[in-house]
PDB file of all heavy atoms in Angstrom:
ATOM      1  N   THR C 541      22.579 -87.498  54.768  1.00 84.00           N
ATOM      2  CA  THR C 541      23.546 -87.855  55.809  1.00 84.00           C
ATOM      3  C   THR C 541      24.691 -86.879  55.763  1.00 84.00           C
ATOM      4  O   THR C 541      25.257 -86.601  54.694  1.00 84.00           O
ATOM      5  CB  THR C 541      24.070 -89.288  55.600  1.00 84.00           C
ATOM      6  OG1 THR C 541      22.971 -90.196  55.658  1.00 84.00           O
ATOM      7  CG2 THR C 541      25.086 -89.649  56.682  1.00 84.00           C
ATOM      8  N   SER C 542      25.054 -86.384  56.943  1.00 82.00           N
ATOM      9  CA  SER C 542      26.164 -85.461  57.062  1.00 82.00           C
ATOM     10  C   SER C 542      27.359 -86.207  57.631  1.00 82.00           C
ATOM     11  O   SER C 542      27.260 -86.892  58.656  1.00 82.00           O
ATOM     12  CB  SER C 542      25.796 -84.298  57.988  1.00 82.00           C
ATOM     13  OG  SER C 542      26.876 -83.404  58.135  1.00 82.00           O
ATOM     14  N   LEU C 543      28.510 -86.104  56.943  1.00 83.00           N
ATOM     15  CA  LEU C 543      29.744 -86.773  57.364  1.00 83.00           C
ATOM     16  C   LEU C 543      30.634 -85.739  58.026  1.00 83.00           C
ATOM     17  O   LEU C 543      30.968 -84.712  57.431  1.00 83.00           O
ATOM     18  CB  LEU C 543      30.442 -87.386  56.155  1.00 83.00           C
ATOM     19  CG  LEU C 543      29.599 -88.404  55.357  1.00 83.00           C
ATOM     20  CD1 LEU C 543      30.389 -88.916  54.160  1.00 83.00           C
ATOM     21  CD2 LEU C 543      29.171 -89.544  56.252  1.00 83.00           C
ATOM     22  N   ALA C 544      31.064 -86.040  59.286  1.00 81.00           N
ATOM     23  CA  ALA C 544      31.855 -85.097  60.075  1.00 81.00           C
ATOM     24  C   ALA C 544      33.268 -85.610  60.282  1.00 81.00           C
ATOM     25  O   ALA C 544      33.552 -86.809  60.170  1.00 81.00           O
ATOM     26  CB  ALA C 544      31.175 -84.843  61.411  1.00 81.00           C
ATOM     27  N   ALA C 545      34.152 -84.687  60.566  1.00 80.00           N
ATOM     28  CA  ALA C 545      35.530 -85.061  60.894  1.00 80.00           C
ATOM     29  C   ALA C 545      35.557 -85.741  62.254  1.00 80.00           C
ATOM     30  O   ALA C 545      34.986 -85.234  63.229  1.00 80.00           O
ATOM     31  CB  ALA C 545      36.410 -83.815  60.890  1.00 80.00           C
ATOM     32  N   PHE C 546      36.248 -86.905  62.319  1.00 77.00           N
ATOM     33  CA  PHE C 546      36.233 -87.684  63.562  1.00 77.00           C
ATOM     34  C   PHE C 546      37.238 -87.154  64.572  1.00 77.00           C
ATOM     35  O   PHE C 546      36.960 -87.075  65.762  1.00 77.00           O
ATOM     36  CB  PHE C 546      36.511 -89.156  63.248  1.00 77.00           C
ATOM     37  CG  PHE C 546      36.656 -90.011  64.449  1.00 77.00           C
ATOM     38  CD1 PHE C 546      35.549 -90.323  65.243  1.00 77.00           C
ATOM     39  CD2 PHE C 546      37.901 -90.495  64.850  1.00 77.00           C
ATOM     40  CE1 PHE C 546      35.683 -91.104  66.365  1.00 77.00           C
ATOM     41  CE2 PHE C 546      38.037 -91.271  65.986  1.00 77.00           C
ATOM     42  CZ  PHE C 546      36.928 -91.588  66.737  1.00 77.00           C
ATOM     43  N   ALA C 547      38.404 -86.804  64.102  1.00 80.00           N
ATOM     44  CA  ALA C 547      39.464 -86.385  65.021  1.00 80.00           C
ATOM     45  C   ALA C 547      40.160 -85.165  64.446  1.00 80.00           C
ATOM     46  O   ALA C 547      40.034 -84.842  63.263  1.00 80.00           O
ATOM     47  CB  ALA C 547      40.457 -87.522  65.241  1.00 80.00           C
ATOM     48  N   ALA C 548      40.922 -84.519  65.300  1.00 78.00           N
ATOM     49  CA  ALA C 548      41.653 -83.322  64.878  1.00 78.00           C
ATOM     50  C   ALA C 548      42.908 -83.732  64.153  1.00 78.00           C
ATOM     51  O   ALA C 548      44.037 -83.665  64.674  1.00 78.00           O
ATOM     52  CB  ALA C 548      41.962 -82.445  66.078  1.00 78.00           C
ATOM     53  N   THR C 549      42.726 -84.242  62.955  1.00 81.00           N
ATOM     54  CA  THR C 549      43.844 -84.666  62.128  1.00 81.00           C
ATOM     55  C   THR C 549      43.815 -83.937  60.806  1.00 81.00           C
ATOM     56  O   THR C 549      42.786 -83.392  60.389  1.00 81.00           O
ATOM     57  CB  THR C 549      43.792 -86.182  61.885  1.00 81.00           C
ATOM     58  OG1 THR C 549      42.564 -86.486  61.221  1.00 81.00           O
ATOM     59  CG2 THR C 549      43.892 -86.954  63.196  1.00 81.00           C
ATOM     60  N   LYS C 550      44.938 -83.979  60.105  1.00 82.00           N
ATOM     61  CA  LYS C 550      45.078 -83.243  58.860  1.00 82.00           C
ATOM     62  C   LYS C 550      44.315 -83.953  57.742  1.00 82.00           C
ATOM     63  O   LYS C 550      44.332 -85.172  57.655  1.00 82.00           O
ATOM     64  CB  LYS C 550      46.565 -83.118  58.504  1.00 82.00           C
ATOM     65  CG  LYS C 550      46.838 -82.272  57.262  1.00 82.00           C
ATOM     66  CD  LYS C 550      48.302 -82.319  56.880  1.00 82.00           C
ATOM     67  CE  LYS C 550      49.178 -81.792  58.002  1.00 82.00           C
ATOM     68  NZ  LYS C 550      50.623 -81.744  57.574  1.00 82.00           N
ATOM     69  N   LEU C 551      43.636 -83.150  56.890  1.00 81.00           N
ATOM     70  CA  LEU C 551      42.927 -83.671  55.727  1.00 81.00           C
ATOM     71  C   LEU C 551      43.958 -83.937  54.639  1.00 81.00           C
ATOM     72  O   LEU C 551      44.672 -83.019  54.190  1.00 81.00           O
ATOM     73  CB  LEU C 551      41.884 -82.671  55.222  1.00 81.00           C
ATOM     74  CG  LEU C 551      41.123 -83.073  53.962  1.00 81.00           C
ATOM     75  CD1 LEU C 551      40.266 -84.320  54.212  1.00 81.00           C
ATOM     76  CD2 LEU C 551      40.221 -81.911  53.498  1.00 81.00           C
ATOM     77  N   LEU C 552      44.002 -85.196  54.200  1.00 82.00           N
ATOM     78  CA  LEU C 552      45.005 -85.575  53.214  1.00 82.00           C
ATOM     79  C   LEU C 552      44.490 -85.446  51.775  1.00 82.00           C
ATOM     80  O   LEU C 552      45.187 -84.918  50.910  1.00 82.00           O
ATOM     81  CB  LEU C 552      45.476 -87.012  53.472  1.00 82.00           C
ATOM     82  CG  LEU C 552      46.230 -87.240  54.784  1.00 82.00           C
ATOM     83  CD1 LEU C 552      46.626 -88.693  54.896  1.00 82.00           C
ATOM     84  CD2 LEU C 552      47.444 -86.336  54.888  1.00 82.00           C
ATOM     85  N   SER C 553      43.273 -85.894  51.511  1.00 84.00           N
ATOM     86  CA  SER C 553      42.779 -85.886  50.123  1.00 84.00           C
ATOM     87  C   SER C 553      41.262 -85.952  50.109  1.00 84.00           C
ATOM     88  O   SER C 553      40.626 -86.404  51.068  1.00 84.00           O
ATOM     89  CB  SER C 553      43.367 -87.060  49.336  1.00 84.00           C
ATOM     90  OG  SER C 553      42.916 -88.299  49.893  1.00 84.00           O
ATOM     91  N   VAL C 554      40.679 -85.451  48.960  1.00 83.00           N
ATOM     92  CA  VAL C 554      39.249 -85.548  48.676  1.00 83.00           C
ATOM     93  C   VAL C 554      39.114 -86.338  47.392  1.00 83.00           C
ATOM     94  O   VAL C 554      39.622 -85.939  46.336  1.00 83.00           O
ATOM     95  CB  VAL C 554      38.596 -84.151  48.534  1.00 83.00           C
ATOM     96  CG1 VAL C 554      37.129 -84.291  48.203  1.00 83.00           C
ATOM     97  CG2 VAL C 554      38.793 -83.349  49.806  1.00 83.00           C
ATOM     98  N   GLU C 555      38.473 -87.478  47.458  1.00 84.00           N
ATOM     99  CA  GLU C 555      38.436 -88.412  46.352  1.00 84.00           C
ATOM    100  C   GLU C 555      37.270 -88.180  45.392  1.00 84.00           C
ATOM    101  O   GLU C 555      37.192 -88.870  44.364  1.00 84.00           O
ATOM    102  CB  GLU C 555      38.358 -89.853  46.908  1.00 84.00           C
ATOM    103  CG  GLU C 555      39.453 -90.195  47.893  1.00 84.00           C
ATOM    104  CD  GLU C 555      40.834 -90.181  47.228  1.00 84.00           C
ATOM    105  OE1 GLU C 555      40.902 -90.424  45.997  1.00 84.00           O
ATOM    106  OE2 GLU C 555      41.819 -89.903  47.923  1.00 84.00           O
ATOM    107  N   VAL C 556      36.355 -87.262  45.678  1.00 84.00           N
ATOM    108  CA  VAL C 556      35.168 -87.049  44.824  1.00 84.00           C
ATOM    109  C   VAL C 556      35.039 -85.569  44.507  1.00 84.00           C
ATOM    110  O   VAL C 556      35.694 -84.716  45.113  1.00 84.00           O
ATOM    111  CB  VAL C 556      33.886 -87.567  45.527  1.00 84.00           C
ATOM    112  CG1 VAL C 556      33.914 -89.078  45.648  1.00 84.00           C
ATOM    113  CG2 VAL C 556      33.726 -86.900  46.884  1.00 84.00           C
ATOM    114  N   ARG C 557      34.134 -85.271  43.538  1.00 84.00           N
ATOM    115  CA  ARG C 557      33.834 -83.894  43.159  1.00 84.00           C
ATOM    116  C   ARG C 557      32.451 -83.490  43.681  1.00 84.00           C
ATOM    117  O   ARG C 557      31.654 -84.355  44.058  1.00 84.00           O
ATOM    118  CB  ARG C 557      33.856 -83.729  41.638  1.00 84.00           C
ATOM    119  CG  ARG C 557      35.190 -84.093  41.009  1.00 84.00           C
ATOM    120  CD  ARG C 557      35.126 -83.823  39.497  1.00 84.00           C
ATOM    121  NE  ARG C 557      34.020 -84.522  38.880  1.00 84.00           N
ATOM    122  CZ  ARG C 557      34.054 -85.783  38.465  1.00 84.00           C
ATOM    123  NH1 ARG C 557      35.164 -86.505  38.622  1.00 84.00           N
ATOM    124  NH2 ARG C 557      33.011 -86.338  37.894  1.00 84.00           N
TER     125      ARG C 557
END
Side-chain angles (χ1 to χ4, degrees):
T541 300
S542 179
L543 302 179
F546 174 71
T549 60
K550 184 186 300 184
L551 177 64
L552 294 180
S553 64
V554 178
E555 306 295 333
V556 292
R557 301 183 305 275

